[in-house]
Amino acid sequence: GDVKLELGTVAETVEVAAGAEVLQTTSATVNSTLIGRQIYELPFVTRNVLELVVTQVGSQTIGAPRTTSINGLPKGSLNITMDGVNIQDNLLRSDDGFFATLQPRTGAIEEVVVSTAGLGAESAGEGAAQVKFVTKSGSNDFHGGLFWQHRNTALNANYFFNNINGLPRDRLILNQFGGNLGGPFQRNRAFFFVNLEEFRLPQTYNVGATLPTADAAQG
């Protein structure tokens, strides 16, 4: 027989997808965060991750990293923690707050957060500016790494001031090495992470000096 084609119902589907918020509307805290490869790949002189804070917004450094302040605040207003525990040299905090007795090392740190304004309740009473380090932890898979950094007098050019004073290269033999390993004690239940670093730096400094004659030395 004949096949009849009938009109179906008209159906419309409207999807509304919200984009990611550009502005943070749930918190007034101003944070700057370094994670993962940023900690490994940003250039800095040593493996002390505290030096990376000088690259963050609000940091002012007038000399060595240890002279850094944040937002122009005095050193006593800065707080440095690792996994929530203060690691500053509090004896010198009033004039040397940018200094940690326990140095956060590259191989051990997962995240660095610098908070400079509108601190939350978890930071209240700990300082007007916060530098928070979070260490790595183990997982269900084994992960680790080894490193060795070497500096040798034979590979270095002479310093400018040694050259103009006619002095030889300073002796400097740097060996910095170590590694880390993380994994499970018991899968999905207990994990471990360990980081070990060693730093050896025997060196000498050449000092140019004009010595008095034997008669002058006797007065």
Side-chain angles (χ1 to χ4, degrees):
D2 296 337
V3 176
K4 295 182 179 180
L5 299 178
E6 298 180 355
L7 293 175
T9 58
V10 178
E12 293 184 359
T13 302
V14 178
E15 291 186 6
V16 179
E21 292 184 359
V22 177
L23 296 178
Q24 171 60 265
T25 59
T26 60
S27 173
T29 303
V30 179
N31 286 332
S32 178
T33 304
L34 295 172
I35 59 174
R37 293 179 61 185
Q38 294 172 312
I39 296 175
Y40 281 97
E41 295 182 2
L42 283 173
F44 59 113
V45 176
T46 72
R47 294 179 61 85
N48 181 358
V49 185
L50 188 58
E51 289 191 10
L52 287 180
V53 177
V54 306
T55 67
Q56 301 307 290
V57 175
S59 299
Q60 298 91 34
T61 306
I62 59 175
R66 191 166 169 174
T67 65
T68 301
S69 63
I70 295 180
N71 289 348
L73 295 168
K75 299 294 186 67
S77 64
L78 176 64
N79 191 55
I80 304 173
T81 62
M82 182 181 295
D83 294 334
V85 178
N86 183 281
I87 59 171
Q88 282 175 292
D89 182 355
N90 289 292
L91 178 64
L92 302 174
R93 185 171 177 177
S94 62
D95 61 354
D96 195 5
F98 201 85
F99 179 68
T101 54
L102 177 62
Q103 295 185 0
R105 312 306 293 178
T106 305
I109 298 301
E110 180 68 30
E111 178 181 280
V112 187
V113 179
V114 181
S115 302
T116 56
L119 305 181
E122 78 282 359
S123 301
E126 295 182 356
Q130 304 280 327
V131 179
K132 301 177 182 179
F133 294 97
V134 179
T135 58
K136 295 179 179 179
S137 59
S139 64
N140 277 332
D141 300 315
F142 287 98
H143 292 284
L146 299 171
F147 78 92
W148 174 44
Q149 296 178 341
H150 179 68
R151 183 178 174 187
N152 194 299
T153 305
L155 304 175
N156 297 336
N158 204 359
Y159 295 120
F160 172 78
F161 292 105
N162 281 19
N163 279 329
I164 64 176
N165 288 311
L167 298 172
R169 285 176 292 184
D170 297 333
R171 179 178 181 272
L172 191 154
I173 308 295
L174 168 64
N175 284 291
Q176 190 170 359
F177 53 90
N180 57 73
L181 179 66
F185 281 122
Q186 184 178 0
R187 294 182 64 83
N188 299 321
R189 292 182 178 274
F191 312 96
F192 74 91
F193 177 81
V194 61
N195 182 74
L196 176 65
E197 298 191 11
E198 188 163 342
F199 183 89
R200 298 179 182 178
L201 183 60
Q203 62 181 3
T204 62
Y205 292 98
N206 293 306
V207 179
T210 301
L211 300 178
T213 63
D215 291 338
Q218 294 177 3

